Amino acid sequence: MKATGLIRVGLIRAARVVRERASASAGRKVAGPRPARAASAALLTVAAAIAFTPSAHAGPPAHVAGGRYGDVTVTKPAGEMRGLVVLFSQASGWAPSDQQAADALARHGALVVGVDTARYAAKLTAATRENCHKLYGDAEAIGHQLERQVESNRYYSPIVAGTGEGALLAEHTLAQAPANTIAGAVSVDADKTLDARFAPCPADPALSRGPGLPGFLAKGVTRAANSAAGPATPATTTRAHEVAQETFAPGMTKAARLVALTEPHLRAEVQSEEDVSDLPLVELPAARPSDMLAVVISGDGGWRDLDKTIAEAMQRQGVSVVGWDSLRYFWREKTPEQTGHDLARVLKTYSARWHTRQIALVGYSFGADVMPFAYNRLPEALRAKVSFVSLLGFAPDADFQIRVTGWLGMPASDKALPVSPELAKMPPAIVQCVYGEREPDSLCPSLAGRGIELVRTPGDHHFGGNYDALAKHIVDSWKKQIGLRG
């Protein structure tokens, strides 16, 4: 299709500052505050006139407004989209060699956002209320908007890449990013020091950096003429990454070097109808055999923070957990029936694989809203095995597609479905509803007197930030229900 007109890009700065202290997700139903609770939203407008129709060749670049990046150069992919690359220039700014690299990456299926590094640094000086900058949020925000605009069949986390100062900027962006927000970083001939204006924030130590969906660091250096340089040294990051290192010959172009390190990670997801390999799942089996299986469906920011951290805390308590990434699963619209069918596949597969008998369903925000629909559409025999359902940050309506309006704090789409009729079909004794005392749009308080366990916590959509205690409460309540069921 041809994309013209105005694309609204929501860089919700106040929401981001709050959400990334406790839950570095974006938008209404993520591991972060819903924008209605955020202090303010800075909505920027991107003027885009980009022909996104796939072709055999990379399309001509278009120049659009890219929020804190300033004007960016967008190069459409040739053929099927296989990834999103945010390409940072060297310190001197966007040059013809950068566009040649963008064109080369696009020929391999990347949608490339070209960022003038000097312009980006200058833009950040206007953020006077920030002592440091969450750089990954800018890459993620523009990725959300452009991928929705091109109607990608799946969501691709951004790959950040660059040469010189842009390479070092990519490394720092990856190092500070919460799990499963940045796909990886490609660094070629990185500078030794970073412009002080970027002032990257350190990674939030309160957030889990444990297992998740893959990430990588691909780092290369160009050997000086007549030298025998050793392999590149990987950058120091806050968590383990898959690392690739390569030394390039001096005559190799910038484009060829970037493509060599990036192309292996531009792979369309191969979906299988067998088993559950087509679903975006993260396995967290208990260290010791357990008969307890929990499926945790994330908020619409994906498997990254509050939901991920709580799931890993449950795992430490002896529960085998399957994490379900909503951002990737609901990137294309699903129906309640399809969601219930896929949940049944997950429960059958992992109950057999891990030899579990007791099942709990846990949903956070977006994941909580869709959970009653999925539960009610399980086969009767599987529903009977579900002994507990915990709904965290539960709202009155459920959508079955990740939408820009959710990230921008706009009203629910006209496709949103009321959850109350679905909740009424569930056995109230197995349902737990968790909400923050400063969470005004939660459905939980209205459920008093219906036999549902209500858990009121300090704070807002982050529940006071004490995720270990919350995970313990969930597991304790679940064990109580198991005991009552005999």
Side-chain angles (χ1 to χ4, degrees):
M1 75 172 199
K2 185 175 181 179
T4 59
L6 301 181
I7 306 172
R8 302 185 70 182
V9 174
L11 300 176
I12 306 172
R13 185 160 317 158
R16 190 165 64 224
V17 170
V18 176
R19 75 174 181 244
E20 290 163 349
R21 286 177 184 165
S23 199
S25 300
R28 173 180 172 270
K29 294 178 181 174
V30 296
R34 302 184 180 187
R37 303 182 191 113
S40 63
L43 301 182
L44 305 181
T45 300
V46 173
I50 309 170
F52 285 115
T53 305
S55 66
H57 306 284
H63 301 280
V64 306
R68 297 205 304 184
Y69 286 150
D71 289 344
V72 297
T73 303
V74 179
T75 307
K76 70 183 183 73
E80 180 184 358
M81 182 175 170
R82 300 173 58 206
L84 173 79
V85 176
V86 176
L87 180 60
F88 299 117
S89 74
Q90 297 187 133
S92 55
W94 192 256
S97 61
D98 294 304
Q99 187 57 53
Q100 291 166 8
D103 293 340
L105 289 166
R107 286 193 292 272
H108 285 84
L111 175 62
V112 184
V113 181
V115 179
D116 185 308
T117 300
R119 184 181 296 132
Y120 184 24
K123 280 278 188 178
L124 288 176
T125 61
T128 56
R129 296 185 179 181
E130 297 180 2
N131 295 324
C132 62
H133 303 303
K134 305 265 193 318
L135 304 173
Y136 66 88
D138 299 323
E140 200 177 25
I142 201 166
H144 284 158
Q145 303 303 319
L146 290 177
E147 291 190 55
R148 179 57 71 208
Q149 187 69 15
V150 303
E151 298 183 341
S152 173
N153 288 337
R154 59 161 291 188
Y155 176 72
Y156 295 91
S157 295
I159 296 171
V160 289
T163 56
E165 183 168 60
L168 190 58
L169 178 59
E171 293 179 19
H172 279 280
T173 300
L174 177 66
Q176 69 168 193
N180 307 320
T181 55
I182 299 298
V186 173
S187 167
V188 175
D189 297 331
D191 286 355
K192 298 297 184 183
T193 58
L194 187 68
D195 188 321
R197 291 174 293 177
F198 288 113
C201 296
D204 189 341
L207 298 178
S208 162
R209 318 305 276 190
L213 299 173
F216 70 90
L217 172 63
K219 188 173 174 67
V221 295
T222 301
R223 185 176 66 247
N226 302 319
S227 76
T233 302
T236 300
T237 59
T238 56
R239 62 187 186 276
H241 289 283
E242 174 193 342
V243 180
Q245 304 173 64
E246 189 162 346
T247 301
F248 298 115
M252 202 170 181
T253 66
K254 176 191 294 188
R257 286 174 282 159
L258 284 165
V259 167
L261 293 177
T262 308
E263 195 278 333
H265 303 282
L266 296 175
R267 300 186 183 277
E269 182 177 14
V270 178
Q271 296 189 346
S272 169
E273 292 300 324
E274 300 176 1
D275 203 358
V276 291
S277 58
D278 58 311
L279 301 177
L281 305 176
V282 177
E283 298 181 353
L284 298 172
R288 296 182 178 180
S290 167
D291 68 348
M292 301 173 73
L293 168 67
V295 175
V296 180
I297 303 183
S298 79
D300 69 358
W303 190 253
R304 56 192 288 172
D305 286 300
L306 185 156
D307 26 39
K308 177 177 184 292
T309 304
I310 286 177
E312 290 170 1
M314 294 177 69
Q315 181 192 29
R316 291 192 295 271
Q317 295 177 53
V319 177
S320 293
V321 179
V322 177
W324 189 319
D325 189 308
S326 285
L327 176 61
R328 287 163 174 81
Y329 180 73
F330 292 103
W331 186 248
R332 293 201 71 180
E333 186 172 13
K334 301 294 190 294
T335 64
E337 289 72 22
Q338 183 177 357
T339 306
H341 172 74
D342 287 339
L343 177 59
R345 294 168 57 206
V346 171
L347 296 181
K348 290 177 182 177
T349 297
Y350 285 95
S351 292
R353 185 176 298 176
W354 290 343
H355 308 291
T356 58
R357 295 184 299 110
Q358 301 293 339
I359 295 173
L361 305 178
V362 181
Y364 172 62
S365 198
F366 190 104
D369 301 345
V370 302
M371 190 68 82
F373 295 85
Y375 169 86
N376 287 329
R377 285 156 181 80
L378 291 173
E380 183 177 352
L382 271 179
R383 282 203 312 273
K385 294 182 179 180
V386 176
S387 51
F388 194 65
V389 180
S390 183
L391 307 172
L392 291 77
F394 191 42
D397 301 291
D399 205 344
F400 284 80
Q401 182 179 14
I402 304 299
R403 301 183 191 276
V404 173
T405 52
W407 287 319
L408 301 186
M410 298 176 184
S413 78
D414 56 6
K415 292 188 176 182
L417 303 174
V419 301
S420 292
E422 296 294 326
L423 190 64
K425 300 175 186 177
M426 301 176 66
I430 71 169
V431 179
Q432 176 188 74
C433 198
V434 180
Y435 69 104
E437 61 186 3
R438 298 200 307 273
E439 191 174 18
D441 59 345
S442 171
L443 188 64
C444 294
S446 69
L447 305 177
R450 294 177 53 174
I452 292 173
E453 181 191 2
L454 301 183
V455 181
R456 182 171 180 262
T457 72
D460 50 20
H461 205 46
H462 301 120
F463 316 122
N466 192 346
Y467 304 141
D468 284 346
L470 181 54
K472 185 177 186 304
H473 190 108
I474 292 170
V475 174
D476 287 347
S477 293
W478 180 15
K479 288 180 177 178
K480 180 180 177 181
Q481 281 301 315
I482 292 173
L484 292 174
R485 289 160 64 99

